[in-house]
Amino acid sequence: LASSVGLQVAVKREDPCRQMAVAAMKQLRREQPQQWELGWEGECCGGVSQPSVTRGPQRRGDRGVSTGTTIMAVQFDGGVVMGADSRTTTGAYIANRVTDKLTPIHDRIFCCRSGSAADTQAIADAVAYQLGFHSIELDEPPLVHTAASLFKDMCYRYREDLMAGIIVAGWDKSKGGQVYTVPIGGMMVRQPFSVGGSGSSYIYGYVDSSYRPGMSKEDCLQFTANALALAMERDGSSGGVIRLAAITEAGVERKVILGSELPRFTLA
C-alpha cells in the first residue's frame, strides 16, 4: 500500500522543467501576444510533453527564401553528372546569385535542392548526419539508394510542412552511378536522368530529344550545361552561373561556368 501511495504522489508531482518552460512561454505571450501561440509537442525524459512555440499569422512582408531554380542529374557508364544554376529568390528579389545548390551528402553522394531554401538545407543536413552514422556502423561508404531513401522518408513524413524537391545522385560499388528523384510529397523513383525546379518545364522537350543512352562523361557535361543554359534564358527564377559536378569511383570533379561563358542558342 505504501509503495502504491508513493507512486501516486510521484505521478501527481509537477516536473520542475515543465514548470519553468510553461512560465517562460507565458511570459513570452504577455510580451508579444499577437506574434506567438503556445502549443505542445514531442516528448522529453520521463514522457513529459514539452511546450512549443508557433508563429501566428504571417505579415504580408514575411516571405521565405526559395530556390526557384533549375537542377539536373544524368547517369553515365561509370558515374553521374549533376548541375544547377545559382540563383536564389525572395519573391521578385534575387537574394543570392551565386548559391551552391549541389550539396554533398557523403564522399560520392550529392543532392540538388529546389523549393524552400530553409527546408532543403535542413533536410540535407539531417540526411548527411544520419548517413554519416550509418557509414560508421557499416565501416564502409553508404549506398546512393540509402541516401535517397532517407530523403524520401523525411519528405514524406513532413510532406504537409515542407516544400522540397530533391535530386539525389552519386556512385557506389554496388550499382555504380545512380540518379533518384524525390519530388514534393515524398515519392522516390530512379531515372537515367532527371530535371527539376521552376526552369525544368522549359527544357523537357530538349532533354527528351537530346538524351541518348550510353553517353560519355563529356557528353553528359555538355548536355547538362546546354539544358541549364536554355532554362536560365527563359526562367526568371533561374540564373547566375552553372555549377557542375561529375561523380565517379575516382571522386568528385567540380566545374563552374560563368555567366559570360554560358552556351548561347538565340539568334543574333
Side-chain angles (χ1 to χ4, degrees), residues 209-232:
S209 63
S210 301
Y211 173 77
R212 305 185 314 275
M215 295 170 66
S216 65
K217 181 178 75 171
E218 290 71 21
D219 291 338
C220 290
L221 286 168
Q222 189 61 51
F223 172 54
T224 303
N226 290 344
L228 292 173
L230 284 168
M232 292 162 63

Side-chain angles (χ1 to χ4, degrees), residues 23 26 67 92 105 121 134 144 190 200 207 210 221 253 257:
K26 288 182 178 179
T67 53
I105 303 301
Q121 287 174 6
H134 178 69
V144 181
R190 182 178 178 183
S200 63
V207 296
S210 301
L221 286 168
E253 300 176 19
I257 302 178

Side-chain angles (χ1 to χ4, degrees), residues 155-202:
C155 289
Y156 180 77
R157 183 181 304 170
Y158 303 107
R159 61 190 179 279
E160 300 295 334
D161 305 310
L162 297 176
M163 186 176 67
I166 308 291
I167 297 176
V168 185
W171 181 94
D172 62 48
K173 64 180 181 181
S174 176
K175 297 182 180 179
Q178 300 151 73
V179 175
Y180 294 91
T181 304
V182 184
I184 294 175
M187 181 183 73
M188 184 185 76
V189 59
R190 182 178 178 183
Q191 297 176 297
F193 71 92
S194 177
V195 293
S198 59
S200 63
S201 59
Y202 297 94

Side-chain angles (χ1 to χ4, degrees), residues 13-221:
R13 185 179 301 146
E14 191 71 30
D15 183 67
C17 295
R18 179 172 177 172
Q19 288 180 335
M20 294 174 62
V22 170
M25 292 301 103
K26 288 182 178 179
Q27 179 64 26
L28 186 59
R29 292 189 70 187
R30 285 193 295 268
E31 295 174 355
Q32 301 174 343
Q34 301 298 324
Q35 298 184 23
W36 304 94
E37 297 174 357
L38 182 64
W40 297 91
E41 66 179 8
E43 299 288 333
C44 78
C45 299
V48 180
S49 298
Q50 291 293 293
S52 66
V53 179
T54 57
R55 288 273 187 185
Q58 287 191 336
R59 294 182 292 273
R60 182 174 297 178
D62 294 342
R63 292 184 178 180
V65 177
S66 84
T67 53
T69 182
T70 306
I71 56 177
M72 185 172 178
V74 188
Q75 175 184 327
F76 65 90
D77 185 19
V80 294
V81 167
M82 306 180 72
D85 74 310
S86 63
R87 177 173 293 179
T88 298
T89 57
T90 305
Y93 174 73
I94 299 175
N96 191 344
R97 60 191 178 92
V98 288
T99 307
D100 188 358
K101 301 174 186 177
L102 306 182
T103 305
I105 303 301
H106 207 264
D107 293 343
R108 292 176 180 83
I109 303 175
F110 276 61
C111 77
C112 294
R113 304 179 291 110
S114 67
S116 166
D119 291 349
T120 57
Q121 287 174 6
I123 296 171
D125 288 344
V127 171
Y129 178 81
Q130 296 177 32
L131 203 63
F133 273 103
H134 178 69
S135 176
I136 293 172
E137 291 175 348
L138 294 179
D139 196 23
E140 63 181 13
L143 302 178
V144 181
H145 183 272
T146 302
S149 297
L150 290 173
F151 275 103
K152 177 201 70 174
D153 292 343
M154 187 165 295
C155 289
Y156 180 77
R157 183 181 304 170
Y158 303 107
R159 61 190 179 279
E160 300 295 334
D161 305 310
L162 297 176
M163 186 176 67
I166 308 291
I167 297 176
V168 185
W171 181 94
D172 62 48
K173 64 180 181 181
S174 176
K175 297 182 180 179
Q178 300 151 73
V179 175
Y180 294 91
T181 304
V182 184
I184 294 175
M187 181 183 73
M188 184 185 76
V189 59
R190 182 178 178 183
Q191 297 176 297
F193 71 92
S194 177
V195 293
S198 59
S200 63
S201 59
Y202 297 94
I203 58 172
Y204 273 111
Y206 171 78
V207 296
D208 287 340
S209 63
S210 301
Y211 173 77
R212 305 185 314 275
M215 295 170 66
S216 65
K217 181 178 75 171
E218 290 71 21
D219 291 338
C220 290
L221 286 168

